[in-house]
Amino acid sequence: MMLKAILFKTSETFGYHKGKDFVAILQCCEPRNQKKTTQTQNFDSILHKIMEDSYSIPDNTTQVTDPETALSSFAPLAVRLLKGVVYDEETRLWNDLVKVHESQLRPYFAQIGLQLIVNRQEGFAFLRQQAAVSDLDAVPLPRLMNRRTLSLDQSILCLLLRERLDDYTVNDSASREPILSLRDIREIVELFFRERTTHQRFLKDVKKTIKDAKDMGFLEVIGQDNPLNEDDTRYRIKRILKAFVDADELQQLFQQITATIA
């Protein structure tokens, strides 16, 4: 025990923490070309044994991953859904959602008051914030997604685009979403935007309303955003618009808007 204590103390003094390093120092201090006596050889054996027992470190150290900090396999998909709508054109994400992770994502988002909406027929998925709980004792959740109140012009454009989606047939194109030019959209809304003081004001209001619909994700620019001829700017109507205005409400809303602008 005394020898072991001395070796530990000496090792700490010289800053070595492995027995083999300390043995190497002792060996270097031995006189050269001197034959080891039996006593010296026995001392060396004891020394090696003590050092191996005291400082042996496993070569294969297993690292344990904390399950609370480990990323879930659906983490990329969950983040993508929080950023916006996922369409079936995004093949890899869509397959991961409908074939693998949908059952895991529903309770995951439900914990923070979000509902996962998956429309397989139309090929899109998105998150919707659940209605507030009526329980007076429950702490209301802050809104993760801002609630938008559409202006009259925005409502008119969205309804007209929604109607165009219904009129569009898949047979006309490989896409399920119609493409309109700025000129086409202007002609569609002209009847409803007629109460304008000047034609320039009408054009300005149309472009602003189109930009608003684009920012809300209902329109997508195809090709160049600023072509040489502005009227040739093309927009794709995104089918997520169907989730916000269903076919049953369409006619009723048209009647209300027509009465408002009459």
Side-chain angles (χ1 to χ4, degrees), residues 94-134:
W94 181 256
N95 288 336
D96 284 348
L97 172 60
V98 299
K99 296 181 179 180
V100 183
H101 296 305
E102 183 178 354
S103 60
Q104 298 171 291
L105 285 168
R106 287 189 182 280
Y108 173 78
F109 284 121
Q111 295 179 72
I112 55 174
L114 298 177
Q115 182 182 7
L116 174 62
I117 308 295
V118 181
N119 189 324
R120 285 174 167 78
Q121 182 179 357
E122 295 292 342
F124 61 76
F126 66 100
L127 297 175
R128 173 177 287 165
Q129 192 142 13
Q130 297 176 354
V133 181
S134 58

Side-chain angles (χ1 to χ4, degrees), residues 142-161:
R143 291 202 64 83
L144 178 64
M145 303 170 183
N146 295 329
R147 188 187 297 274
R148 294 177 180 267
T149 301
L150 300 183
S151 66
L152 179 60
D153 288 349
Q154 292 170 348
S155 300
I156 291 172
L157 178 58
C158 288
L159 288 174
L160 292 171
L161 295 177

Side-chain angles (χ1 to χ4, degrees), residues 153-198:
D153 288 349
Q154 292 170 348
S155 300
I156 291 172
L157 178 58
C158 288
L159 288 174
L160 292 171
L161 295 177
R162 174 67 175 84
E163 185 181 41
R164 184 55 63 98
L165 272 173
D166 280 347
D167 295 339
Y168 185 74
T169 59
V170 180
N171 295 331
D172 292 337
S173 172
S175 172
R176 285 175 287 178
E177 299 169 333
I179 297 175
L180 303 175
S181 67
L182 174 59
R183 184 186 297 105
D184 296 331
I185 298 176
R186 192 169 59 236
E187 292 175 355
I188 292 173
V189 302
E190 187 172 7
L191 177 64
F192 298 92
F193 279 31
R194 61 186 177 183
E195 298 298 328
R196 300 296 189 271
T197 55
T198 64

Side-chain angles (χ1 to χ4, degrees), residues 37-50:
T37 63
T38 303
Q39 183 180 2
T40 303
Q41 291 174 350
N42 292 337
F43 176 78
D44 285 347
S45 300
I46 296 172
L47 181 62
H48 277 286
K49 179 62 177 176
I50 294 174

